[in-house]
Amino acid sequence: MSVRNLDALFRPASIALIADGPVGAVLARNLFAGGFDGPVMPVTQGARSVGSALAYPSVAALPMAPDLAVIAAPPDTLPGVIAELGGRGTRAAAVVGIDRPAAAKGTEGARLRQAMLDAARPHLLRILGPDGFGLMAPHRGVNASLGHVAPRAGDLAFVSQSGTVAAAVLDWATRRGIGFSHVVSLGGMADVDFGDMLDWLAADSRTRAVLLHIETISHARKFMSAARIAARTRPVVVIRPGRGDRRAGDADGLIGPDAVYDAAFRRAGMLRVFDLAELFDAVETLASGLRVDGERLAILTNGAGLGLLAAEALADAGGTVAVPAAATARRLGIAGTDPPGPVDLGDAAPADRFARALDALLADSGRDAVLVVNGPSAIADPVEAARAVAGMVAETAKRDGRRPPVLASWLGAAAETRRLFAEARIPGYDTPGQAARAFMHLARHRRNQVLLMQTPPALPEDFQPDANAARAVIAVALAEGRTELTAAEARAVLEAYRIPLLPEGDAPPPEAHPLVLGIDEDPLFGPVLLFGQGGAAAELLHDGVAALPPLNAVLARDLMRRARVWRLLQGYRGRPAPDLDAVALTLVKLSQLAADLSEVAALRINPLLAAAAGVLAPGAAIRVQPPLPPGTPRFAIRPYPQRLVQHLALRDGREVTLRPVRPEDEPAIREMLQRSSPEDVRLRFFSAMRSFSHEFAARLTQIDYDREMALVAEAEEDGRRAILGAVRIIADPDGETAEYGIMVRSDLKGHGLGHRLMSEIIDYARSRGLKRIFGEVLRENVTMLRMAEELGFARADVPDEPGIIHVTISLDDLPALSQHSA
């Protein structure tokens, strides 16, 4: 259901409180003290008033339908209360309560949750909880929680499953003056879950960053879609316990369930941290606006020991100390030092020496950021050193047009030092280790974001898997009642997906690296791809990493880099590096196999022999199951919708392939825009654009097929494939309404391509259950307005925007359009 009626939860006009006893007293105190400017109406049979507010004996007696009901009532009464509220017109309810015994959360708890949902569904009433801490929206004066402190209004949102963790975070943040836009405890997540909250917060202008405490996720695909959208617009930082849990992992013990969660967080572009202090450190660091392009940190200090502490913390977090270039080393006076490490100026270093050294390091291309560490000194003034650093940062920013990536750690910093760094927008940290970890927060977040936007290379044209041949092999085993393929059958499946096989009886190549590649089925996220060190010791080494399919070559490389075996795969002591492109391609092939064959429940290639000449698989262990019905969602991230590919002819006879966009289409999309007239580009994007950046084009081609769809028309031109036009829709989180956009290359107008693209996207939207499509069209774009009218769109003026026309079409009872001739 997503964000529908969540405005009543976080922006209510009126609130009813249905609660008695100690819990009700806490809720009443918080609601009345929160500063809410609407009516708070207690419902109780035990008193005529609560505080200074008149109480009502029943929901029916309320003088108005409350937007939000805050409920702390006996569990068996909840479905009836929800039904009564829904009948009055209430749109949201927060079911609040202290944690109950585990027995109450079993079968009986599930029955009550379902009964609540059944009671709410006819009225579209949203439920937060049950058994949650409640919610706080400080900007609206809403404190419908069991919190012992009221947070300041701020721009961080914190969402947790645990009321205890929420209370601890509130306490921690209050002592440090940190404010919130939202504090939400999801509790049992009968209805509102993390996906809903991410969709809501992604559109909230008061929320600068999102903090999540996650134990479990209820709907993987909804979560992944919402998380990928939210993480593109603001930092999303997540903490989850369970890193060491391998008890319920894959059959080989390569990974545990937490590894799959970790893969999901990475794929969504979120940053994961591991304790509450790190959670807030990460948010503050990411919110500083600093950008880094890699993981090389130059360390400048007045104490060798402090520099080494920073370097060790950096190494532990996966970063490296930057090595100054020879010219930089000469400027710093450290030429010839071995091994290179932190730049130590000595405890007597005056302020101007800090400034000169920082200037030299900022000019060096071999670093991605600079950390300046200062320890107390009886000789040199630390405040003057801080002033010099801040001045150099300001001077560099003015010269280069962007703020340089500089972090600082001034041990025992005075208030003046903190003020100087705050004014210069230099993130400051209490310890060198904390600062080094903060740099790695920037680096890891940037890496995850880049992965969202990278353009993968196209697959080799000769990779044409034979899914039908693989299905036939599996069907024989299933017909015989077997769940395991024989060695010969498994080799046949690998051969169908063009995975090179070691000839039977041949010895493995002597210098081949043994790897393990596989597919597992996670009960929540569906198919998962595995990679790690292979061979007989794989189960003992636990060098397994996971990724969510679908994978492309870029994502496959990222998966490989996260395994410890990656360092061995670079070659060492005369042993050549294997063909890493071949390994990555094998992972991509397994990703395609997982997408095609729901019959494959688990697959292991151990070992995959990786050598300089390529890869060879002696065989595989494959477990099979009956195929799922067509269209059954399996992947947490919807894979490429191959079924939408079709071929058609334009009015001039030109043969065109119509298909969903792929990430690797970025260059072709940019070429299409560059070959269009500036006027046509302006009419499409509402602004004059002379160039099209990678980031801009990537957002057009790297889409979430579950929430968006973009169809491109592709044809052969001059011996290569070119994109002639594209149409897209982006659906709202509720899956009811979508906005469209369309562009046809300027030289191809008048051939019916635009009309055909619009017809196809309208039919697709209707097949997905959308109810309306709308668009904003410049009034001067008469061609688009005429086509919209021909297709049945209604027109309306946009208030305060005289140059824009709003067009919309209802998809209910609309006849199929895509059969019309082009």
Side-chain angles (χ1 to χ4, degrees), residues 718-756:
D718 301 324
R720 58 190 178 87
R721 305 297 289 178
I723 289 179
L724 315 181
V727 65
R728 70 184 54 246
I729 56 171
I730 302 176
D732 65 16
D734 297 321
E736 290 198 345
T737 302
E739 183 175 10
Y740 83 86
I742 185 170
M743 179 94 188
V744 173
R745 209 173 69 195
S746 297
D747 61 319
L748 290 166
K749 288 188 171 182
H751 293 79
L753 179 57
H755 196 286
R756 183 59 181 267

mmCIF file of all heavy atoms in Angstrom, residues 718-756:
data_model
loop_
_atom_site.group_PDB
_atom_site.id
_atom_site.type_symbol
_atom_site.label_atom_id
_atom_site.label_comp_id
_atom_site.label_asym_id
_atom_site.label_seq_id
_atom_site.Cartn_x
_atom_site.Cartn_y
_atom_site.Cartn_z
ATOM 1 N N ASP A 718 24.026 2.502 -40.074
ATOM 2 C CA ASP A 718 25.466 2.514 -40.375
ATOM 3 C C ASP A 718 26.207 1.376 -39.692
ATOM 4 O O ASP A 718 27.304 1.550 -39.148
ATOM 5 C CB ASP A 718 26.092 3.856 -39.959
ATOM 6 C CG ASP A 718 25.445 5.040 -40.664
ATOM 7 O OD1 ASP A 718 25.080 4.885 -41.844
ATOM 8 O OD2 ASP A 718 25.284 6.090 -40.027
ATOM 9 N N GLY A 719 25.592 0.205 -39.701
ATOM 10 C CA GLY A 719 26.247 -0.971 -39.165
ATOM 11 C C GLY A 719 26.243 -1.098 -37.656
ATOM 12 O O GLY A 719 26.930 -1.952 -37.104
ATOM 13 N N ARG A 720 25.485 -0.260 -36.955
ATOM 14 C CA ARG A 720 25.411 -0.364 -35.504
ATOM 15 C C ARG A 720 23.995 -0.028 -35.055
ATOM 16 O O ARG A 720 23.196 0.526 -35.809
ATOM 17 C CB ARG A 720 26.420 0.563 -34.818
ATOM 18 C CG ARG A 720 26.248 2.018 -35.179
ATOM 19 C CD ARG A 720 27.417 2.852 -34.670
ATOM 20 N NE ARG A 720 27.289 4.246 -35.048
ATOM 21 C CZ ARG A 720 26.621 5.150 -34.346
ATOM 22 N NH1 ARG A 720 26.035 4.795 -33.208
ATOM 23 N NH2 ARG A 720 26.538 6.403 -34.749
ATOM 24 N N ARG A 721 23.702 -0.349 -33.820
ATOM 25 C CA ARG A 721 22.371 -0.125 -33.285
ATOM 26 C C ARG A 721 22.261 1.297 -32.735
ATOM 27 O O ARG A 721 23.159 1.771 -32.037
ATOM 28 C CB ARG A 721 22.041 -1.122 -32.183
ATOM 29 C CG ARG A 721 22.187 -2.575 -32.563
ATOM 30 C CD ARG A 721 21.236 -2.984 -33.655
ATOM 31 N NE ARG A 721 19.843 -3.040 -33.187
ATOM 32 C CZ ARG A 721 18.818 -3.339 -33.971
ATOM 33 N NH1 ARG A 721 19.013 -3.603 -35.261
ATOM 34 N NH2 ARG A 721 17.588 -3.373 -33.483
ATOM 35 N N ALA A 722 21.189 1.988 -33.095
ATOM 36 C CA ALA A 722 20.958 3.354 -32.618
ATOM 37 C C ALA A 722 19.575 3.438 -31.996
ATOM 38 O O ALA A 722 18.640 2.754 -32.424
ATOM 39 C CB ALA A 722 21.081 4.348 -33.775
ATOM 40 N N ILE A 723 19.436 4.281 -30.989
ATOM 41 C CA ILE A 723 18.145 4.504 -30.348
ATOM 42 C C ILE A 723 17.474 5.695 -31.025
ATOM 43 O O ILE A 723 18.053 6.783 -31.126
ATOM 44 C CB ILE A 723 18.312 4.734 -28.843
ATOM 45 C CG1 ILE A 723 18.724 3.411 -28.172
ATOM 46 C CG2 ILE A 723 17.028 5.254 -28.208
ATOM 47 C CD1 ILE A 723 18.944 3.501 -26.689
ATOM 48 N N LEU A 724 16.255 5.471 -31.503
ATOM 49 C CA LEU A 724 15.519 6.476 -32.257
ATOM 50 C C LEU A 724 14.564 7.282 -31.384
ATOM 51 O O LEU A 724 14.217 8.416 -31.723
ATOM 52 C CB LEU A 724 14.706 5.805 -33.372
ATOM 53 C CG LEU A 724 15.428 4.739 -34.204
ATOM 54 C CD1 LEU A 724 14.495 4.201 -35.273
ATOM 55 C CD2 LEU A 724 16.702 5.304 -34.819
ATOM 56 N N GLY A 725 14.128 6.686 -30.299
ATOM 57 C CA GLY A 725 13.186 7.371 -29.418
ATOM 58 C C GLY A 725 13.008 6.579 -28.140
ATOM 59 O O GLY A 725 13.360 5.397 -28.069
ATOM 60 N N ALA A 726 12.444 7.244 -27.128
ATOM 61 C CA ALA A 726 12.243 6.581 -25.837
ATOM 62 C C ALA A 726 11.023 7.179 -25.156
ATOM 63 O O ALA A 726 10.724 8.370 -25.303
ATOM 64 C CB ALA A 726 13.474 6.748 -24.950
ATOM 65 N N VAL A 727 10.326 6.336 -24.403
ATOM 66 C CA VAL A 727 9.190 6.773 -23.604
ATOM 67 C C VAL A 727 9.317 6.116 -22.242
ATOM 68 O O VAL A 727 9.828 5.007 -22.128
ATOM 69 C CB VAL A 727 7.850 6.392 -24.276
ATOM 70 C CG1 VAL A 727 7.677 4.880 -24.355
ATOM 71 C CG2 VAL A 727 6.670 7.026 -23.556
ATOM 72 N N ARG A 728 8.884 6.819 -21.178
ATOM 73 C CA ARG A 728 9.025 6.269 -19.835
ATOM 74 C C ARG A 728 7.843 6.680 -18.983
ATOM 75 O O ARG A 728 7.170 7.676 -19.254
ATOM 76 C CB ARG A 728 10.316 6.730 -19.179
ATOM 77 C CG ARG A 728 10.378 8.192 -18.793
ATOM 78 C CD ARG A 728 11.745 8.571 -18.232
ATOM 79 N NE ARG A 728 12.780 8.197 -19.172
ATOM 80 C CZ ARG A 728 13.697 7.239 -18.922
ATOM 81 N NH1 ARG A 728 13.702 6.617 -17.761
ATOM 82 N NH2 ARG A 728 14.597 6.940 -19.807
ATOM 83 N N ILE A 729 7.588 5.861 -17.980
ATOM 84 C CA ILE A 729 6.660 6.233 -16.915
ATOM 85 C C ILE A 729 7.350 5.965 -15.585
ATOM 86 O O ILE A 729 8.132 5.035 -15.449
ATOM 87 C CB ILE A 729 5.329 5.459 -16.983
ATOM 88 C CG1 ILE A 729 5.547 3.941 -16.961
ATOM 89 C CG2 ILE A 729 4.493 5.899 -18.161
ATOM 90 C CD1 ILE A 729 4.278 3.139 -16.804
ATOM 91 N N ILE A 730 7.033 6.801 -14.604
ATOM 92 C CA ILE A 730 7.499 6.620 -13.234
ATOM 93 C C ILE A 730 6.262 6.609 -12.359
ATOM 94 O O ILE A 730 5.518 7.597 -12.295
ATOM 95 C CB ILE A 730 8.453 7.744 -12.803
ATOM 96 C CG1 ILE A 730 9.661 7.812 -13.743
ATOM 97 C CG2 ILE A 730 8.912 7.543 -11.370
ATOM 98 C CD1 ILE A 730 10.602 8.964 -13.444
ATOM 99 N N ALA A 731 6.016 5.470 -11.703
ATOM 100 C CA ALA A 731 4.805 5.305 -10.907
ATOM 101 C C ALA A 731 4.994 5.856 -9.506
ATOM 102 O O ALA A 731 6.115 5.876 -8.969
ATOM 103 C CB ALA A 731 4.413 3.826 -10.845
ATOM 104 N N ASP A 732 3.899 6.284 -8.895
ATOM 105 C CA ASP A 732 3.965 6.693 -7.505
ATOM 106 C C ASP A 732 4.086 5.447 -6.625
ATOM 107 O O ASP A 732 3.852 4.328 -7.079
ATOM 108 C CB ASP A 732 2.747 7.535 -7.115
ATOM 109 C CG ASP A 732 1.434 6.761 -7.172
ATOM 110 O OD1 ASP A 732 1.466 5.520 -7.224
ATOM 111 O OD2 ASP A 732 0.375 7.404 -7.145
ATOM 112 N N PRO A 733 4.494 5.617 -5.357
ATOM 113 C CA PRO A 733 4.701 4.438 -4.507
ATOM 114 C C PRO A 733 3.455 3.588 -4.312
ATOM 115 O O PRO A 733 3.555 2.404 -3.998
ATOM 116 C CB PRO A 733 5.168 5.043 -3.177
ATOM 117 C CG PRO A 733 5.760 6.358 -3.544
ATOM 118 C CD PRO A 733 4.932 6.853 -4.684
ATOM 119 N N ASP A 734 2.263 4.188 -4.497
ATOM 120 C CA ASP A 734 1.031 3.427 -4.316
ATOM 121 C C ASP A 734 0.665 2.602 -5.535
ATOM 122 O O ASP A 734 -0.282 1.813 -5.491
ATOM 123 C CB ASP A 734 -0.131 4.367 -3.981
ATOM 124 C CG ASP A 734 0.084 5.094 -2.673
ATOM 125 O OD1 ASP A 734 0.600 4.455 -1.739
ATOM 126 O OD2 ASP A 734 -0.243 6.281 -2.579
ATOM 127 N N GLY A 735 1.388 2.786 -6.637
ATOM 128 C CA GLY A 735 1.128 1.994 -7.824
ATOM 129 C C GLY A 735 -0.190 2.323 -8.503
ATOM 130 O O GLY A 735 -0.792 1.462 -9.146
ATOM 131 N N GLU A 736 -0.630 3.581 -8.398
ATOM 132 C CA GLU A 736 -1.890 3.964 -9.023
ATOM 133 C C GLU A 736 -1.709 4.971 -10.155
ATOM 134 O O GLU A 736 -2.408 4.909 -11.153
ATOM 135 C CB GLU A 736 -2.840 4.558 -7.972
ATOM 136 C CG GLU A 736 -3.375 3.531 -6.989
ATOM 137 C CD GLU A 736 -4.609 4.022 -6.268
ATOM 138 O OE1 GLU A 736 -4.881 5.245 -6.322
ATOM 139 O OE2 GLU A 736 -5.298 3.184 -5.658
ATOM 140 N N THR A 737 -0.787 5.900 -9.979
ATOM 141 C CA THR A 737 -0.605 6.990 -10.928
ATOM 142 C C THR A 737 0.842 7.027 -11.386
ATOM 143 O O THR A 737 1.752 6.750 -10.611
ATOM 144 C CB THR A 737 -0.979 8.337 -10.273
ATOM 145 O OG1 THR A 737 -2.329 8.276 -9.829
ATOM 146 C CG2 THR A 737 -0.835 9.486 -11.249
ATOM 147 N N ALA A 738 1.049 7.367 -12.661
ATOM 148 C CA ALA A 738 2.409 7.461 -13.190
ATOM 149 C C ALA A 738 2.530 8.703 -14.057
ATOM 150 O O ALA A 738 1.578 9.115 -14.736
ATOM 151 C CB ALA A 738 2.756 6.216 -13.999
ATOM 152 N N GLU A 739 3.724 9.288 -14.034
ATOM 153 C CA GLU A 739 4.031 10.420 -14.905
ATOM 154 C C GLU A 739 4.806 9.912 -16.106
ATOM 155 O O GLU A 739 5.691 9.067 -15.970
ATOM 156 C CB GLU A 739 4.847 11.469 -14.154
ATOM 157 C CG GLU A 739 5.145 12.703 -14.981
ATOM 158 C CD GLU A 739 5.852 13.791 -14.199
ATOM 159 O OE1 GLU A 739 6.275 13.512 -13.057
ATOM 160 O OE2 GLU A 739 5.966 14.916 -14.712
ATOM 161 N N TYR A 740 4.500 10.441 -17.285
ATOM 162 C CA TYR A 740 5.184 9.973 -18.481
ATOM 163 C C TYR A 740 6.107 11.051 -19.029
ATOM 164 O O TYR A 740 5.976 12.241 -18.750
ATOM 165 C CB TYR A 740 4.170 9.547 -19.550
ATOM 166 C CG TYR A 740 3.618 10.701 -20.391
ATOM 167 C CD1 TYR A 740 4.288 11.152 -21.536
ATOM 168 C CD2 TYR A 740 2.429 11.329 -20.052
ATOM 169 C CE1 TYR A 740 3.790 12.194 -22.293
ATOM 170 C CE2 TYR A 740 1.927 12.367 -20.802
ATOM 171 C CZ TYR A 740 2.613 12.808 -21.921
ATOM 172 O OH TYR A 740 2.126 13.851 -22.673
ATOM 173 N N GLY A 741 7.058 10.606 -19.834
ATOM 174 C CA GLY A 741 7.917 11.488 -20.614
ATOM 175 C C GLY A 741 8.267 10.786 -21.907
ATOM 176 O O GLY A 741 8.408 9.555 -21.927
ATOM 177 N N ILE A 742 8.406 11.529 -22.990
ATOM 178 C CA ILE A 742 8.672 10.900 -24.289
ATOM 179 C C ILE A 742 9.585 11.792 -25.109
ATOM 180 O O ILE A 742 9.547 13.022 -24.999
ATOM 181 C CB ILE A 742 7.353 10.628 -25.053
ATOM 182 C CG1 ILE A 742 7.630 9.869 -26.351
ATOM 183 C CG2 ILE A 742 6.579 11.916 -25.301
ATOM 184 C CD1 ILE A 742 6.384 9.365 -27.041
ATOM 185 N N MET A 743 10.430 11.169 -25.907
ATOM 186 C CA MET A 743 11.348 11.894 -26.798
ATOM 187 C C MET A 743 11.579 11.049 -28.035
ATOM 188 O O MET A 743 11.869 9.852 -27.941
ATOM 189 C CB MET A 743 12.685 12.142 -26.090
ATOM 190 C CG MET A 743 13.715 12.857 -26.933
ATOM 191 S SD MET A 743 13.672 14.623 -26.661
ATOM 192 C CE MET A 743 14.785 15.187 -27.951
ATOM 193 N N VAL A 744 11.426 11.659 -29.202
ATOM 194 C CA VAL A 744 11.761 11.024 -30.477
ATOM 195 C C VAL A 744 12.834 11.869 -31.137
ATOM 196 O O VAL A 744 12.753 13.107 -31.118
ATOM 197 C CB VAL A 744 10.519 10.904 -31.379
ATOM 198 C CG1 VAL A 744 10.895 10.399 -32.763
ATOM 199 C CG2 VAL A 744 9.484 9.981 -30.745
ATOM 200 N N ARG A 745 13.839 11.212 -31.690
ATOM 201 C CA ARG A 745 14.930 11.946 -32.342
ATOM 202 C C ARG A 745 14.364 12.882 -33.405
ATOM 203 O O ARG A 745 13.452 12.501 -34.162
ATOM 204 C CB ARG A 745 15.923 10.958 -32.953
ATOM 205 C CG ARG A 745 17.344 11.493 -33.026
ATOM 206 C CD ARG A 745 18.290 10.405 -33.491
ATOM 207 N NE ARG A 745 18.073 10.050 -34.895
ATOM 208 C CZ ARG A 745 18.551 8.953 -35.471
ATOM 209 N NH1 ARG A 745 19.254 8.097 -34.745
ATOM 210 N NH2 ARG A 745 18.328 8.713 -36.742
ATOM 211 N N SER A 746 14.895 14.086 -33.464
ATOM 212 C CA SER A 746 14.291 15.136 -34.284
ATOM 213 C C SER A 746 14.108 14.735 -35.738
ATOM 214 O O SER A 746 13.093 15.060 -36.362
ATOM 215 C CB SER A 746 15.145 16.409 -34.196
ATOM 216 O OG SER A 746 15.169 16.909 -32.884
ATOM 217 N N ASP A 747 15.072 14.003 -36.315
ATOM 218 C CA ASP A 747 14.979 13.670 -37.739
ATOM 219 C C ASP A 747 13.997 12.540 -38.019
ATOM 220 O O ASP A 747 13.798 12.178 -39.181
ATOM 221 C CB ASP A 747 16.361 13.291 -38.280
ATOM 222 C CG ASP A 747 16.946 12.075 -37.575
ATOM 223 O OD1 ASP A 747 16.807 11.986 -36.342
ATOM 224 O OD2 ASP A 747 17.521 11.226 -38.264
ATOM 225 N N LEU A 748 13.371 11.976 -36.972
ATOM 226 C CA LEU A 748 12.454 10.854 -37.169
ATOM 227 C C LEU A 748 11.006 11.221 -36.834
ATOM 228 O O LEU A 748 10.152 10.342 -36.759
ATOM 229 C CB LEU A 748 12.891 9.663 -36.311
ATOM 230 C CG LEU A 748 14.180 9.002 -36.801
ATOM 231 C CD1 LEU A 748 14.741 8.076 -35.755
ATOM 232 C CD2 LEU A 748 13.921 8.234 -38.092
ATOM 233 N N LYS A 749 10.754 12.487 -36.628
ATOM 234 C CA LYS A 749 9.383 12.904 -36.371
ATOM 235 C C LYS A 749 8.547 12.735 -37.635
ATOM 236 O O LYS A 749 9.040 12.869 -38.760
ATOM 237 C CB LYS A 749 9.344 14.359 -35.909
ATOM 238 C CG LYS A 749 9.878 14.553 -34.500
ATOM 239 C CD LYS A 749 9.648 15.973 -34.026
ATOM 240 C CE LYS A 749 9.970 16.100 -32.551
ATOM 241 N NZ LYS A 749 9.694 17.467 -32.062
ATOM 242 N N GLY A 750 7.273 12.433 -37.445
ATOM 243 C CA GLY A 750 6.378 12.272 -38.577
ATOM 244 C C GLY A 750 6.286 10.861 -39.116
ATOM 245 O O GLY A 750 5.601 10.625 -40.119
ATOM 246 N N HIS A 751 6.954 9.896 -38.465
ATOM 247 C CA HIS A 751 6.918 8.507 -38.905
ATOM 248 C C HIS A 751 6.014 7.640 -38.030
ATOM 249 O O HIS A 751 5.976 6.425 -38.199
ATOM 250 C CB HIS A 751 8.327 7.905 -38.915
ATOM 251 C CG HIS A 751 9.225 8.511 -39.951
ATOM 252 N ND1 HIS A 751 9.841 9.729 -39.764
ATOM 253 C CD2 HIS A 751 9.595 8.072 -41.183
ATOM 254 C CE1 HIS A 751 10.571 10.015 -40.835
ATOM 255 N NE2 HIS A 751 10.440 9.030 -41.714
ATOM 256 N N GLY A 752 5.318 8.264 -37.073
ATOM 257 C CA GLY A 752 4.411 7.511 -36.215
ATOM 258 C C GLY A 752 5.070 6.862 -35.022
ATOM 259 O O GLY A 752 4.414 6.139 -34.273
ATOM 260 N N LEU A 753 6.376 7.120 -34.829
ATOM 261 C CA LEU A 753 7.083 6.455 -33.737
ATOM 262 C C LEU A 753 6.594 6.938 -32.379
ATOM 263 O O LEU A 753 6.395 6.142 -31.456
ATOM 264 C CB LEU A 753 8.587 6.675 -33.878
ATOM 265 C CG LEU A 753 9.463 6.045 -32.794
ATOM 266 C CD1 LEU A 753 9.238 4.545 -32.714
ATOM 267 C CD2 LEU A 753 10.944 6.356 -33.043
ATOM 268 N N GLY A 754 6.398 8.250 -32.228
ATOM 269 C CA GLY A 754 5.942 8.772 -30.950
ATOM 270 C C GLY A 754 4.586 8.215 -30.549
ATOM 271 O O GLY A 754 4.369 7.835 -29.398
ATOM 272 N N HIS A 755 3.674 8.151 -31.510
ATOM 273 C CA HIS A 755 2.340 7.610 -31.231
ATOM 274 C C HIS A 755 2.432 6.154 -30.806
ATOM 275 O O HIS A 755 1.754 5.721 -29.862
ATOM 276 C CB HIS A 755 1.469 7.755 -32.477
ATOM 277 C CG HIS A 755 0.005 7.598 -32.215
ATOM 278 N ND1 HIS A 755 -0.577 6.372 -31.960
ATOM 279 C CD2 HIS A 755 -0.995 8.519 -32.153
ATOM 280 C CE1 HIS A 755 -1.874 6.536 -31.779
ATOM 281 N NE2 HIS A 755 -2.153 7.831 -31.870
ATOM 282 N N ARG A 756 3.301 5.389 -31.480
ATOM 283 C CA ARG A 756 3.420 3.968 -31.136
ATOM 284 C C ARG A 756 4.050 3.799 -29.750
ATOM 285 O O ARG A 756 3.615 2.958 -28.952
ATOM 286 C CB ARG A 756 4.243 3.242 -32.193
ATOM 287 C CG ARG A 756 4.363 1.742 -31.965
ATOM 288 C CD ARG A 756 2.987 1.060 -31.944
ATOM 289 N NE ARG A 756 3.056 -0.361 -31.712
ATOM 290 C CZ ARG A 756 3.111 -1.290 -32.671
ATOM 291 N NH1 ARG A 756 3.118 -0.928 -33.943
ATOM 292 N NH2 ARG A 756 3.152 -2.577 -32.365
#
